[in-house]
């Protein structure tokens, strides 16, 4: 299976610690997205890459959050000085222009800040 | 700004029967895409069906079909012959044809399938 993969699937961390999530998109997809989802809600857009360029960041992405996509392949999302309000599912997705703008999601990384 | 509204937080259907999930959206654009995604308890979001706004014909994928009413800005999902495996959260989503990052999701409808 060559779908979007995310690691780790679950992370429990103490408040104030830093965490990093990794996403490997579907190969040849040039677009990569990060979303955040809390219980009972739909995903909310965080940021978006086209190849290695980060083209858009949501207001939800405070300065404690940083995302990278070196070489336009995998991406990392780092949260510094985590807060309890950061507890959520972090979803990665990818797409390729020309496929009708369909976004394919990974299984998500579930973060719990205690 | 585009918004997506799913007015049914929860729905229930008997196995083998038909259920319709509602979705409305607000936009000033004429070109866009609409999606229904399914999120089972395992949490991976899976594409169920997609509709291009410029197409008048309603999309169909096996037991899943949509009723796309562009003027009314309505995009409902019909699941026929419901199966236990259809139980999940269903999200309606809107994506602009011109702004690549602009994908908006509704709050979701939790579908329960009763045996």
């Amino acid at each position: 299976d060559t779908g979007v993969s995310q690691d780790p699937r679950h992370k429990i961390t103490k408040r104030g610690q830093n965490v990093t999530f990794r996403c490997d998109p579907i190969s040849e997809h040039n677009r990569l997205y990060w979303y955040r989802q809390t219980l009972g809600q739909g995903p909310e857009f965080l940021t978006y890459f086209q190849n290695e360029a980060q083209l858009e960041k949501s207001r939800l992405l405070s300065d404690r959050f940083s995302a990278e996509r070196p070489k336009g392949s995998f991406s990392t999302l780092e949260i510094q000085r985590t807060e309890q309000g950061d507890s959520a599912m972090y979803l990665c997705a990818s797409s390729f222009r020309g496929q009708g703008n369909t976004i394919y999601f990974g299984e998500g990384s579930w973060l719990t800040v205690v | 700004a585009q918004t997506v509204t799913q007015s049914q937080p929860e729905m229930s259907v008997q196995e083998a029967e038909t259920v319709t999930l509602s979705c409305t959206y607000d936009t000033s654009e004429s070109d866009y895409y609409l999606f229904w995604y399914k999120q089972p308890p395992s949490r991976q979001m899976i594409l169920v069906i997609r509709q291009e706004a410029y197409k008048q014909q309603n999309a169909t994928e096996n037991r899943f079909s949509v009723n796309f009413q562009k003027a009314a800005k309505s995009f409902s999902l019909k699941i026929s012959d419901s199966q236990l495996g259809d139980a999940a959260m269903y999200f309606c989503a809107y994506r602009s044809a011109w702004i690549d990052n602009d994908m908006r999701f509704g709050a979701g409808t939790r579908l329960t399938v009763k045996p």
Side-chain angles (χ1 to χ4, degrees), chain B residues 42-77:
Chain B
S42 66
R43 305 289 290 185
Q44 183 170 20
M45 197 86 70
I46 302 166
L47 178 68
V48 174
I49 199 165
R50 186 190 80 203
Q51 175 80 42
E52 291 87 347
Y54 64 85
K55 290 186 177 179
Q56 292 186 336
Q57 185 173 7
N58 289 324
T60 299
E61 288 287 343
N62 300 315
R63 297 182 296 106
F64 299 88
S65 62
V66 298
N67 183 5
F68 173 47
Q69 302 289 326
K70 190 172 184 179
K73 298 178 183 176
S74 171
F75 182 61
S76 61
L77 174 70

PDB file of all heavy atoms in Angstrom, chain B residues 42-77:
ATOM      1  N   SER B  42     -11.285   3.758  13.081  1.00  0.00           N
ATOM      2  CA  SER B  42      -9.826   3.681  12.941  1.00  0.00           C
ATOM      3  C   SER B  42      -9.230   5.033  12.595  1.00  0.00           C
ATOM      4  O   SER B  42      -8.019   5.195  12.610  1.00  0.00           O
ATOM      5  CB  SER B  42      -9.447   2.668  11.865  1.00  0.00           C
ATOM      6  OG  SER B  42      -9.897   3.126  10.600  1.00  0.00           O
ATOM      7  N   ARG B  43     -10.073   5.989  12.281  1.00  0.00           N
ATOM      8  CA  ARG B  43      -9.738   7.382  12.094  1.00  0.00           C
ATOM      9  C   ARG B  43      -9.208   7.807  10.730  1.00  0.00           C
ATOM     10  O   ARG B  43      -8.992   8.963  10.516  1.00  0.00           O
ATOM     11  CB  ARG B  43      -8.758   7.869  13.174  1.00  0.00           C
ATOM     12  CG  ARG B  43      -9.216   7.651  14.597  1.00  0.00           C
ATOM     13  CD  ARG B  43     -10.320   8.547  14.956  1.00  0.00           C
ATOM     14  NE  ARG B  43      -9.891   9.935  15.061  1.00  0.00           N
ATOM     15  CZ  ARG B  43     -10.695  10.925  15.461  1.00  0.00           C
ATOM     16  NH1 ARG B  43     -11.944  10.661  15.749  1.00  0.00           N
ATOM     17  NH2 ARG B  43     -10.232  12.159  15.535  1.00  0.00           N
ATOM     18  N   GLN B  44      -8.889   6.902   9.816  1.00  0.00           N
ATOM     19  CA  GLN B  44      -8.415   7.372   8.519  1.00  0.00           C
ATOM     20  C   GLN B  44      -9.572   7.890   7.692  1.00  0.00           C
ATOM     21  O   GLN B  44     -10.611   7.243   7.562  1.00  0.00           O
ATOM     22  CB  GLN B  44      -7.688   6.271   7.754  1.00  0.00           C
ATOM     23  CG  GLN B  44      -7.114   6.740   6.429  1.00  0.00           C
ATOM     24  CD  GLN B  44      -6.198   5.730   5.796  1.00  0.00           C
ATOM     25  OE1 GLN B  44      -6.239   4.556   6.123  1.00  0.00           O
ATOM     26  NE2 GLN B  44      -5.350   6.188   4.897  1.00  0.00           N
ATOM     27  N   MET B  45      -9.408   9.044   7.132  1.00  0.00           N
ATOM     28  CA  MET B  45     -10.401   9.684   6.295  1.00  0.00           C
ATOM     29  C   MET B  45     -10.334   9.057   4.901  1.00  0.00           C
ATOM     30  O   MET B  45      -9.274   9.059   4.261  1.00  0.00           O
ATOM     31  CB  MET B  45     -10.096  11.171   6.213  1.00  0.00           C
ATOM     32  CG  MET B  45     -11.224  12.021   5.724  1.00  0.00           C
ATOM     33  SD  MET B  45     -12.339  12.516   7.021  1.00  0.00           S
ATOM     34  CE  MET B  45     -11.281  13.649   7.889  1.00  0.00           C
ATOM     35  N   ILE B  46     -11.446   8.536   4.443  1.00  0.00           N
ATOM     36  CA  ILE B  46     -11.489   7.838   3.157  1.00  0.00           C
ATOM     37  C   ILE B  46     -12.463   8.560   2.235  1.00  0.00           C
ATOM     38  O   ILE B  46     -13.583   8.877   2.636  1.00  0.00           O
ATOM     39  CB  ILE B  46     -11.948   6.379   3.350  1.00  0.00           C
ATOM     40  CG1 ILE B  46     -11.020   5.646   4.318  1.00  0.00           C
ATOM     41  CG2 ILE B  46     -12.005   5.649   2.010  1.00  0.00           C
ATOM     42  CD1 ILE B  46     -11.585   4.340   4.805  1.00  0.00           C
ATOM     43  N   LEU B  47     -12.037   8.810   1.016  1.00  0.00           N
ATOM     44  CA  LEU B  47     -12.918   9.450   0.045  1.00  0.00           C
ATOM     45  C   LEU B  47     -14.036   8.501  -0.354  1.00  0.00           C
ATOM     46  O   LEU B  47     -13.789   7.360  -0.730  1.00  0.00           O
ATOM     47  CB  LEU B  47     -12.129   9.860  -1.193  1.00  0.00           C
ATOM     48  CG  LEU B  47     -12.956  10.494  -2.313  1.00  0.00           C
ATOM     49  CD1 LEU B  47     -13.491  11.851  -1.885  1.00  0.00           C
ATOM     50  CD2 LEU B  47     -12.121  10.619  -3.584  1.00  0.00           C
ATOM     51  N   VAL B  48     -15.272   8.983  -0.265  1.00  0.00           N
ATOM     52  CA  VAL B  48     -16.430   8.182  -0.661  1.00  0.00           C
ATOM     53  C   VAL B  48     -16.864   8.532  -2.073  1.00  0.00           C
ATOM     54  O   VAL B  48     -17.056   7.657  -2.925  1.00  0.00           O
ATOM     55  CB  VAL B  48     -17.609   8.415   0.319  1.00  0.00           C
ATOM     56  CG1 VAL B  48     -18.864   7.696  -0.166  1.00  0.00           C
ATOM     57  CG2 VAL B  48     -17.233   7.959   1.723  1.00  0.00           C
ATOM     58  N   ILE B  49     -17.005   9.843  -2.322  1.00  0.00           N
ATOM     59  CA  ILE B  49     -17.539  10.263  -3.611  1.00  0.00           C
ATOM     60  C   ILE B  49     -17.184  11.721  -3.838  1.00  0.00           C
ATOM     61  O   ILE B  49     -16.990  12.475  -2.871  1.00  0.00           O
ATOM     62  CB  ILE B  49     -19.069  10.033  -3.652  1.00  0.00           C
ATOM     63  CG1 ILE B  49     -19.592  10.010  -5.088  1.00  0.00           C
ATOM     64  CG2 ILE B  49     -19.800  11.047  -2.790  1.00  0.00           C
ATOM     65  CD1 ILE B  49     -20.991   9.424  -5.200  1.00  0.00           C
ATOM     66  N   ARG B  50     -17.090  12.108  -5.100  1.00  0.00           N
ATOM     67  CA  ARG B  50     -16.691  13.464  -5.469  1.00  0.00           C
ATOM     68  C   ARG B  50     -17.608  13.987  -6.567  1.00  0.00           C
ATOM     69  O   ARG B  50     -18.029  13.215  -7.436  1.00  0.00           O
ATOM     70  CB  ARG B  50     -15.261  13.418  -5.981  1.00  0.00           C
ATOM     71  CG  ARG B  50     -14.635  14.753  -6.272  1.00  0.00           C
ATOM     72  CD  ARG B  50     -13.330  14.567  -7.001  1.00  0.00           C
ATOM     73  NE  ARG B  50     -13.544  14.304  -8.420  1.00  0.00           N
ATOM     74  CZ  ARG B  50     -12.673  13.689  -9.192  1.00  0.00           C
ATOM     75  NH1 ARG B  50     -11.557  13.238  -8.704  1.00  0.00           N
ATOM     76  NH2 ARG B  50     -12.935  13.515 -10.467  1.00  0.00           N
ATOM     77  N   GLN B  51     -17.876  15.273  -6.515  1.00  0.00           N
ATOM     78  CA  GLN B  51     -18.741  15.902  -7.514  1.00  0.00           C
ATOM     79  C   GLN B  51     -18.094  17.189  -8.000  1.00  0.00           C
ATOM     80  O   GLN B  51     -17.668  18.019  -7.179  1.00  0.00           O
ATOM     81  CB  GLN B  51     -20.114  16.232  -6.893  1.00  0.00           C
ATOM     82  CG  GLN B  51     -21.062  16.992  -7.780  1.00  0.00           C
ATOM     83  CD  GLN B  51     -21.774  16.104  -8.792  1.00  0.00           C
ATOM     84  OE1 GLN B  51     -22.207  15.001  -8.479  1.00  0.00           O
ATOM     85  NE2 GLN B  51     -21.910  16.589  -9.999  1.00  0.00           N
ATOM     86  N   GLU B  52     -17.996  17.342  -9.306  1.00  0.00           N
ATOM     87  CA  GLU B  52     -17.531  18.603  -9.874  1.00  0.00           C
ATOM     88  C   GLU B  52     -18.732  19.518 -10.074  1.00  0.00           C
ATOM     89  O   GLU B  52     -19.750  19.068 -10.606  1.00  0.00           O
ATOM     90  CB  GLU B  52     -16.831  18.371 -11.222  1.00  0.00           C
ATOM     91  CG  GLU B  52     -15.516  17.646 -11.121  1.00  0.00           C
ATOM     92  CD  GLU B  52     -15.651  16.130 -11.149  1.00  0.00           C
ATOM     93  OE1 GLU B  52     -16.777  15.620 -10.994  1.00  0.00           O
ATOM     94  OE2 GLU B  52     -14.621  15.465 -11.331  1.00  0.00           O
ATOM     95  N   ALA B  53     -18.600  20.761  -9.707  1.00  0.00           N
ATOM     96  CA  ALA B  53     -19.741  21.672  -9.758  1.00  0.00           C
ATOM     97  C   ALA B  53     -20.232  21.925 -11.180  1.00  0.00           C
ATOM     98  O   ALA B  53     -21.410  22.228 -11.387  1.00  0.00           O
ATOM     99  CB  ALA B  53     -19.385  22.990  -9.090  1.00  0.00           C
ATOM    100  N   TYR B  54     -19.339  21.791 -12.158  1.00  0.00           N
ATOM    101  CA  TYR B  54     -19.746  22.076 -13.536  1.00  0.00           C
ATOM    102  C   TYR B  54     -20.525  20.922 -14.154  1.00  0.00           C
ATOM    103  O   TYR B  54     -21.098  21.058 -15.236  1.00  0.00           O
ATOM    104  CB  TYR B  54     -18.532  22.407 -14.402  1.00  0.00           C
ATOM    105  CG  TYR B  54     -17.539  21.287 -14.571  1.00  0.00           C
ATOM    106  CD1 TYR B  54     -17.722  20.312 -15.556  1.00  0.00           C
ATOM    107  CD2 TYR B  54     -16.420  21.188 -13.761  1.00  0.00           C
ATOM    108  CE1 TYR B  54     -16.813  19.282 -15.715  1.00  0.00           C
ATOM    109  CE2 TYR B  54     -15.498  20.168 -13.909  1.00  0.00           C
ATOM    110  CZ  TYR B  54     -15.693  19.221 -14.891  1.00  0.00           C
ATOM    111  OH  TYR B  54     -14.801  18.199 -15.055  1.00  0.00           O
ATOM    112  N   LYS B  55     -20.554  19.783 -13.479  1.00  0.00           N
ATOM    113  CA  LYS B  55     -21.290  18.629 -13.992  1.00  0.00           C
ATOM    114  C   LYS B  55     -22.699  18.614 -13.410  1.00  0.00           C
ATOM    115  O   LYS B  55     -22.889  18.685 -12.200  1.00  0.00           O
ATOM    116  CB  LYS B  55     -20.573  17.329 -13.635  1.00  0.00           C
ATOM    117  CG  LYS B  55     -19.274  17.116 -14.379  1.00  0.00           C
ATOM    118  CD  LYS B  55     -18.700  15.736 -14.071  1.00  0.00           C
ATOM    119  CE  LYS B  55     -17.429  15.491 -14.871  1.00  0.00           C
ATOM    120  NZ  LYS B  55     -16.837  14.154 -14.575  1.00  0.00           N
ATOM    121  N   GLN B  56     -23.665  18.504 -14.278  1.00  0.00           N
ATOM    122  CA  GLN B  56     -25.051  18.447 -13.819  1.00  0.00           C
ATOM    123  C   GLN B  56     -25.428  17.058 -13.336  1.00  0.00           C
ATOM    124  O   GLN B  56     -26.283  16.896 -12.467  1.00  0.00           O
ATOM    125  CB  GLN B  56     -25.993  18.888 -14.936  1.00  0.00           C
ATOM    126  CG  GLN B  56     -25.869  20.369 -15.276  1.00  0.00           C
ATOM    127  CD  GLN B  56     -26.920  20.807 -16.288  1.00  0.00           C
ATOM    128  OE1 GLN B  56     -27.427  19.990 -17.040  1.00  0.00           O
ATOM    129  NE2 GLN B  56     -27.228  22.092 -16.298  1.00  0.00           N
ATOM    130  N   GLN B  57     -24.768  16.053 -13.894  1.00  0.00           N
ATOM    131  CA  GLN B  57     -25.101  14.684 -13.532  1.00  0.00           C
ATOM    132  C   GLN B  57     -24.593  14.383 -12.132  1.00  0.00           C
ATOM    133  O   GLN B  57     -23.437  14.679 -11.798  1.00  0.00           O
ATOM    134  CB  GLN B  57     -24.495  13.711 -14.529  1.00  0.00           C
ATOM    135  CG  GLN B  57     -24.898  12.271 -14.307  1.00  0.00           C
ATOM    136  CD  GLN B  57     -24.407  11.362 -15.416  1.00  0.00           C
ATOM    137  OE1 GLN B  57     -23.652  11.782 -16.285  1.00  0.00           O
ATOM    138  NE2 GLN B  57     -24.832  10.119 -15.395  1.00  0.00           N
ATOM    139  N   ASN B  58     -25.439  13.767 -11.336  1.00  0.00           N
ATOM    140  CA  ASN B  58     -25.051  13.398  -9.982  1.00  0.00           C
ATOM    141  C   ASN B  58     -24.065  12.230  -9.999  1.00  0.00           C
ATOM    142  O   ASN B  58     -24.252  11.259 -10.715  1.00  0.00           O
ATOM    143  CB  ASN B  58     -26.290  13.014  -9.169  1.00  0.00           C
ATOM    144  CG  ASN B  58     -27.160  14.201  -8.848  1.00  0.00           C
ATOM    145  OD1 ASN B  58     -26.668  15.303  -8.597  1.00  0.00           O
ATOM    146  ND2 ASN B  58     -28.454  14.001  -8.860  1.00  0.00           N
ATOM    147  N   ALA B  59     -23.037  12.342  -9.161  1.00  0.00           N
ATOM    148  CA  ALA B  59     -22.036  11.282  -9.075  1.00  0.00           C
ATOM    149  C   ALA B  59     -22.608  10.049  -8.374  1.00  0.00           C
ATOM    150  O   ALA B  59     -23.457  10.163  -7.471  1.00  0.00           O
ATOM    151  CB  ALA B  59     -20.808  11.785  -8.323  1.00  0.00           C
ATOM    152  N   THR B  60     -22.114   8.899  -8.791  1.00  0.00           N
ATOM    153  CA  THR B  60     -22.528   7.633  -8.198  1.00  0.00           C
ATOM    154  C   THR B  60     -21.313   6.724  -8.065  1.00  0.00           C
ATOM    155  O   THR B  60     -20.498   6.655  -8.991  1.00  0.00           O
ATOM    156  CB  THR B  60     -23.581   6.923  -9.080  1.00  0.00           C
ATOM    157  OG1 THR B  60     -24.731   7.772  -9.187  1.00  0.00           O
ATOM    158  CG2 THR B  60     -24.002   5.598  -8.476  1.00  0.00           C
ATOM    159  N   GLU B  61     -21.212   6.073  -6.912  1.00  0.00           N
ATOM    160  CA  GLU B  61     -20.155   5.084  -6.685  1.00  0.00           C
ATOM    161  C   GLU B  61     -20.785   3.898  -5.974  1.00  0.00           C
ATOM    162  O   GLU B  61     -20.952   3.897  -4.756  1.00  0.00           O
ATOM    163  CB  GLU B  61     -19.022   5.679  -5.816  1.00  0.00           C
ATOM    164  CG  GLU B  61     -18.166   6.691  -6.500  1.00  0.00           C
ATOM    165  CD  GLU B  61     -17.208   6.091  -7.518  1.00  0.00           C
ATOM    166  OE1 GLU B  61     -16.977   4.856  -7.474  1.00  0.00           O
ATOM    167  OE2 GLU B  61     -16.694   6.847  -8.358  1.00  0.00           O
ATOM    168  N   ASN B  62     -21.153   2.895  -6.762  1.00  0.00           N
ATOM    169  CA  ASN B  62     -21.750   1.682  -6.200  1.00  0.00           C
ATOM    170  C   ASN B  62     -22.995   2.040  -5.378  1.00  0.00           C
ATOM    171  O   ASN B  62     -23.947   2.584  -5.918  1.00  0.00           O
ATOM    172  CB  ASN B  62     -20.712   0.922  -5.372  1.00  0.00           C
ATOM    173  CG  ASN B  62     -19.519   0.511  -6.208  1.00  0.00           C
ATOM    174  OD1 ASN B  62     -19.673   0.023  -7.315  1.00  0.00           O
ATOM    175  ND2 ASN B  62     -18.325   0.746  -5.689  1.00  0.00           N
ATOM    176  N   ARG B  63     -22.980   1.787  -4.072  1.00  0.00           N
ATOM    177  CA  ARG B  63     -24.171   2.043  -3.251  1.00  0.00           C
ATOM    178  C   ARG B  63     -24.297   3.504  -2.818  1.00  0.00           C
ATOM    179  O   ARG B  63     -25.280   3.871  -2.157  1.00  0.00           O
ATOM    180  CB  ARG B  63     -24.110   1.149  -2.007  1.00  0.00           C
ATOM    181  CG  ARG B  63     -24.139  -0.333  -2.288  1.00  0.00           C
ATOM    182  CD  ARG B  63     -24.124  -1.162  -0.998  1.00  0.00           C
ATOM    183  NE  ARG B  63     -22.890  -0.983  -0.234  1.00  0.00           N
ATOM    184  CZ  ARG B  63     -22.794  -0.270   0.893  1.00  0.00           C
ATOM    185  NH1 ARG B  63     -23.857   0.337   1.397  1.00  0.00           N
ATOM    186  NH2 ARG B  63     -21.641  -0.182   1.524  1.00  0.00           N
ATOM    187  N   PHE B  64     -23.324   4.314  -3.169  1.00  0.00           N
ATOM    188  CA  PHE B  64     -23.299   5.717  -2.750  1.00  0.00           C
ATOM    189  C   PHE B  64     -23.644   6.622  -3.934  1.00  0.00           C
ATOM    190  O   PHE B  64     -23.082   6.467  -5.025  1.00  0.00           O
ATOM    191  CB  PHE B  64     -21.917   6.087  -2.211  1.00  0.00           C
ATOM    192  CG  PHE B  64     -21.498   5.286  -1.004  1.00  0.00           C
ATOM    193  CD1 PHE B  64     -20.836   4.076  -1.157  1.00  0.00           C
ATOM    194  CD2 PHE B  64     -21.765   5.743   0.264  1.00  0.00           C
ATOM    195  CE1 PHE B  64     -20.453   3.340  -0.045  1.00  0.00           C
ATOM    196  CE2 PHE B  64     -21.384   5.015   1.374  1.00  0.00           C
ATOM    197  CZ  PHE B  64     -20.729   3.810   1.225  1.00  0.00           C
ATOM    198  N   SER B  65     -24.542   7.539  -3.704  1.00  0.00           N
ATOM    199  CA  SER B  65     -24.884   8.513  -4.735  1.00  0.00           C
ATOM    200  C   SER B  65     -25.151   9.852  -4.066  1.00  0.00           C
ATOM    201  O   SER B  65     -25.397   9.926  -2.862  1.00  0.00           O
ATOM    202  CB  SER B  65     -26.104   8.055  -5.531  1.00  0.00           C
ATOM    203  OG  SER B  65     -27.225   7.937  -4.682  1.00  0.00           O
ATOM    204  N   VAL B  66     -25.053  10.900  -4.871  1.00  0.00           N
ATOM    205  CA  VAL B  66     -25.298  12.225  -4.325  1.00  0.00           C
ATOM    206  C   VAL B  66     -26.469  12.869  -5.052  1.00  0.00           C
ATOM    207  O   VAL B  66     -26.811  12.516  -6.181  1.00  0.00           O
ATOM    208  CB  VAL B  66     -24.053  13.138  -4.428  1.00  0.00           C
ATOM    209  CG1 VAL B  66     -22.906  12.548  -3.622  1.00  0.00           C
ATOM    210  CG2 VAL B  66     -23.660  13.374  -5.878  1.00  0.00           C
ATOM    211  N   ASN B  67     -27.079  13.820  -4.374  1.00  0.00           N
ATOM    212  CA  ASN B  67     -28.085  14.692  -4.972  1.00  0.00           C
ATOM    213  C   ASN B  67     -27.520  16.104  -4.899  1.00  0.00           C
ATOM    214  O   ASN B  67     -27.536  16.745  -3.838  1.00  0.00           O
ATOM    215  CB  ASN B  67     -29.408  14.595  -4.216  1.00  0.00           C
ATOM    216  CG  ASN B  67     -30.487  15.439  -4.886  1.00  0.00           C
ATOM    217  OD1 ASN B  67     -30.279  16.024  -5.952  1.00  0.00           O
ATOM    218  ND2 ASN B  67     -31.641  15.507  -4.260  1.00  0.00           N
ATOM    219  N   PHE B  68     -26.958  16.553  -6.001  1.00  0.00           N
ATOM    220  CA  PHE B  68     -26.292  17.846  -6.077  1.00  0.00           C
ATOM    221  C   PHE B  68     -27.265  18.866  -6.650  1.00  0.00           C
ATOM    222  O   PHE B  68     -27.697  18.759  -7.806  1.00  0.00           O
ATOM    223  CB  PHE B  68     -25.046  17.732  -6.952  1.00  0.00           C
ATOM    224  CG  PHE B  68     -24.362  19.040  -7.238  1.00  0.00           C
ATOM    225  CD1 PHE B  68     -24.092  19.954  -6.229  1.00  0.00           C
ATOM    226  CD2 PHE B  68     -23.963  19.357  -8.536  1.00  0.00           C
ATOM    227  CE1 PHE B  68     -23.454  21.144  -6.504  1.00  0.00           C
ATOM    228  CE2 PHE B  68     -23.313  20.552  -8.809  1.00  0.00           C
ATOM    229  CZ  PHE B  68     -23.058  21.453  -7.800  1.00  0.00           C
ATOM    230  N   GLN B  69     -27.618  19.848  -5.845  1.00  0.00           N
ATOM    231  CA  GLN B  69     -28.506  20.921  -6.261  1.00  0.00           C
ATOM    232  C   GLN B  69     -27.700  22.221  -6.200  1.00  0.00           C
ATOM    233  O   GLN B  69     -27.604  22.853  -5.130  1.00  0.00           O
ATOM    234  CB  GLN B  69     -29.728  20.990  -5.336  1.00  0.00           C
ATOM    235  CG  GLN B  69     -30.546  19.714  -5.273  1.00  0.00           C
ATOM    236  CD  GLN B  69     -31.300  19.485  -6.567  1.00  0.00           C
ATOM    237  OE1 GLN B  69     -31.731  20.418  -7.229  1.00  0.00           O
ATOM    238  NE2 GLN B  69     -31.461  18.214  -6.924  1.00  0.00           N
ATOM    239  N   LYS B  70     -27.129  22.631  -7.330  1.00  0.00           N
ATOM    240  CA  LYS B  70     -26.202  23.762  -7.329  1.00  0.00           C
ATOM    241  C   LYS B  70     -26.894  25.057  -6.924  1.00  0.00           C
ATOM    242  O   LYS B  70     -26.350  25.852  -6.155  1.00  0.00           O
ATOM    243  CB  LYS B  70     -25.541  23.915  -8.696  1.00  0.00           C
ATOM    244  CG  LYS B  70     -24.389  24.904  -8.706  1.00  0.00           C
ATOM    245  CD  LYS B  70     -23.639  24.883 -10.022  1.00  0.00           C
ATOM    246  CE  LYS B  70     -22.422  25.809  -9.975  1.00  0.00           C
ATOM    247  NZ  LYS B  70     -21.661  25.791 -11.253  1.00  0.00           N
ATOM    248  N   ALA B  71     -28.075  25.298  -7.441  1.00  0.00           N
ATOM    249  CA  ALA B  71     -28.762  26.554  -7.127  1.00  0.00           C
ATOM    250  C   ALA B  71     -29.099  26.628  -5.639  1.00  0.00           C
ATOM    251  O   ALA B  71     -29.001  27.696  -5.027  1.00  0.00           O
ATOM    252  CB  ALA B  71     -30.028  26.672  -7.960  1.00  0.00           C
ATOM    253  N   ALA B  72     -29.468  25.523  -5.088  1.00  0.00           N
ATOM    254  CA  ALA B  72     -29.804  25.478  -3.656  1.00  0.00           C
ATOM    255  C   ALA B  72     -28.574  25.304  -2.784  1.00  0.00           C
ATOM    256  O   ALA B  72     -28.685  25.359  -1.554  1.00  0.00           O
ATOM    257  CB  ALA B  72     -30.792  24.353  -3.396  1.00  0.00           C
ATOM    258  N   LYS B  73     -27.412  25.062  -3.402  1.00  0.00           N
ATOM    259  CA  LYS B  73     -26.162  24.827  -2.675  1.00  0.00           C
ATOM    260  C   LYS B  73     -26.338  23.691  -1.668  1.00  0.00           C
ATOM    261  O   LYS B  73     -26.028  23.810  -0.470  1.00  0.00           O
ATOM    262  CB  LYS B  73     -25.666  26.105  -2.004  1.00  0.00           C
ATOM    263  CG  LYS B  73     -25.344  27.191  -3.015  1.00  0.00           C
ATOM    264  CD  LYS B  73     -24.902  28.489  -2.375  1.00  0.00           C
ATOM    265  CE  LYS B  73     -24.668  29.533  -3.458  1.00  0.00           C
ATOM    266  NZ  LYS B  73     -24.332  30.860  -2.887  1.00  0.00           N
ATOM    267  N   SER B  74     -26.843  22.598  -2.218  1.00  0.00           N
ATOM    268  CA  SER B  74     -27.114  21.421  -1.407  1.00  0.00           C
ATOM    269  C   SER B  74     -26.404  20.225  -2.013  1.00  0.00           C
ATOM    270  O   SER B  74     -26.342  20.065  -3.245  1.00  0.00           O
ATOM    271  CB  SER B  74     -28.623  21.178  -1.353  1.00  0.00           C
ATOM    272  OG  SER B  74     -28.922  19.940  -0.764  1.00  0.00           O
ATOM    273  N   PHE B  75     -25.891  19.349  -1.151  1.00  0.00           N
ATOM    274  CA  PHE B  75     -25.086  18.211  -1.632  1.00  0.00           C
ATOM    275  C   PHE B  75     -25.306  17.059  -0.665  1.00  0.00           C
ATOM    276  O   PHE B  75     -24.514  16.848   0.248  1.00  0.00           O
ATOM    277  CB  PHE B  75     -23.614  18.640  -1.686  1.00  0.00           C
ATOM    278  CG  PHE B  75     -22.673  17.583  -2.216  1.00  0.00           C
ATOM    279  CD1 PHE B  75     -22.809  17.091  -3.502  1.00  0.00           C
ATOM    280  CD2 PHE B  75     -21.629  17.100  -1.435  1.00  0.00           C
ATOM    281  CE1 PHE B  75     -21.939  16.135  -4.007  1.00  0.00           C
ATOM    282  CE2 PHE B  75     -20.754  16.139  -1.920  1.00  0.00           C
ATOM    283  CZ  PHE B  75     -20.908  15.662  -3.202  1.00  0.00           C
ATOM    284  N   SER B  76     -26.362  16.294  -0.864  1.00  0.00           N
ATOM    285  CA  SER B  76     -26.683  15.212   0.062  1.00  0.00           C
ATOM    286  C   SER B  76     -26.108  13.889  -0.428  1.00  0.00           C
ATOM    287  O   SER B  76     -25.924  13.682  -1.635  1.00  0.00           O
ATOM    288  CB  SER B  76     -28.193  15.103   0.260  1.00  0.00           C
ATOM    289  OG  SER B  76     -28.829  14.832  -0.963  1.00  0.00           O
ATOM    290  N   LEU B  77     -25.854  13.010   0.502  1.00  0.00           N
ATOM    291  CA  LEU B  77     -25.294  11.682   0.213  1.00  0.00           C
ATOM    292  C   LEU B  77     -26.337  10.626   0.531  1.00  0.00           C
ATOM    293  O   LEU B  77     -26.882  10.604   1.645  1.00  0.00           O
ATOM    294  CB  LEU B  77     -24.042  11.435   1.057  1.00  0.00           C
ATOM    295  CG  LEU B  77     -23.444  10.017   0.963  1.00  0.00           C
ATOM    296  CD1 LEU B  77     -22.810   9.789  -0.412  1.00  0.00           C
ATOM    297  CD2 LEU B  77     -22.406   9.801   2.064  1.00  0.00           C
TER     298      LEU B  77
END
